[in-house]
Amino acid sequence: MRLQGKRAIVTGGGSGFGEGIAMRFAAEGARVMVADINLEGAERVAAACGGIAQAVDVADGDSVAAMAARAEAEFGAVDVLVNNAGITHLPAPMEEVDEADFDRVFAVNCKSVYLTARALVPVMKARGSGAILNIASTAGVSPRPRLNWYNASKGWMNTATRAMAIELAPAGVRVNALNPVAGDTPLLASFMGEDTPEMRAKFLSTIPLGRFSTPEDLANAALFLCSEEASMITGVCMEVDGGRCI
């Protein structure tokens, strides 16, 4: 029960890595808000973990503010924030990615971190404690070709994590990130462009441990970084990648 009594928000919690994190947090004693643009997915996960579901568009300031207000009303305060919601553009030469796709990737992957910080950091600072976890990607550490702007957005997330960590440390708020390798989640087909055995084999050939990451892998790492066991850890961008970035 390493998160006993903690109150957490997990964005993008309705599927994939976010679902795994929400389920594990709840199993470790946290009260969890499962926030997702797909309310049906959020409700399914919330029902499974005894949490509460919240519809949110993390790229929209009003929607994020409403999420924060609901969390405050339900929980009283938020101890842990996991910025997990994210999207990608389809693989393409960098100059051929549509401007609308570029804008959406940076709005969901980057602007969202600003919006959740604007909504939730003041309360964490006032309380003198809190843990924020940003889910970035190995793409931000060791970029793959034809995913240029997604790579860049995740590199931004890693830099933002370090910048947030150094600024918020005096207030008792820790900020870390995870860099997962591709996982067998709803985003996998978008990363690959097509979900075929040949494309999966190509991706797997770049991962020394020979498998995709799983929601459970991310949940285990997230649990550690958001628990008191990691009370001296901030500004870390941890690869959960089977050795891909070596």
Side-chain angles (χ1 to χ4, degrees):
M1 304 301 283
R2 285 176 280 178
L3 295 179
Q4 184 67 48
K6 300 293 186 181
R7 298 151 295 185
I9 295 175
V10 180
T11 70
S15 63
F17 293 151
E19 178 176 355
I21 292 169
M23 294 294 291
R24 187 63 188 278
F25 278 18
E28 293 284 341
R31 298 180 65 194
V32 181
M33 171 179 279
V34 182
D36 203 295
I37 198 167
N38 175 6
L39 181 57
E40 183 178 346
E43 289 175 337
R44 176 184 59 80
V45 175
C49 71
I52 60 174
Q54 175 70 24
V56 67
D57 178 353
V58 295
D60 179 82
D62 290 340
S63 184
V64 170
M67 176 189 73
R70 171 96 187 282
E72 184 176 355
E74 294 278 353
F75 296 159
V78 175
D79 303 293
V80 178
L81 166 66
V82 180
N83 285 310
N84 168 74
I87 61 169
T88 185
H89 58 80
L90 293 176
M94 65 176 73
E95 71 276 17
E96 295 179 13
V97 174
D98 184 84
E99 184 176 357
D101 288 339
F102 174 93
D103 287 343
R104 185 64 178 161
V105 165
F106 274 80
V108 173
N109 294 358
C110 303
K111 185 181 179 182
S112 62
V113 178
Y114 155 72
L115 292 175
T116 57
R118 186 177 69 172
L120 293 164
V121 161
V123 176
M124 290 183 174
K125 289 171 72 174
R127 296 178 63 241
S129 66
I132 298 172
L133 183 66
N134 298 323
I135 308 301
S137 171
T138 53
V141 180
S142 179
R144 292 183 185 270
R146 295 170 56 85
L147 288 169
N148 194 81
W149 309 117
Y150 173 77
N151 298 334
S153 74
K154 293 302 188 178
W156 182 99
M157 260 185 125
N158 283 321
T159 300
T161 296
R162 297 186 185 99
M164 293 168 73
I166 199 67
E167 180 170 332
L168 295 179
V173 179
R174 299 184 301 106
V175 187
N176 293 294
L178 293 178
N179 286 307
V181 75
D184 197 355
T185 71
L187 274 183
L188 181 60
S190 296
F191 291 134
M192 296 190 298
E194 56 178 349
D195 192 350
T196 64
E198 294 76 19
M199 189 60 72
R200 284 185 173 234
K202 180 180 178 181
F203 261 64
L204 284 172
S205 71
T206 68
I207 304 172
L209 284 184
R211 66 174 178 84
F212 292 114
S213 61
T214 68
E216 291 73 24
D217 293 325
L218 271 293
N220 290 333
L223 173 62
F224 169 66
L225 288 176
C226 293
S227 73
E228 292 305 313
E229 294 175 4
S231 62
M232 191 57 177
I233 298 176
T234 195
V236 164
C237 300
M238 179 191 294
E239 281 86 42
V240 183
D241 68 347
R244 181 174 115 68
C245 289
I246 297 171

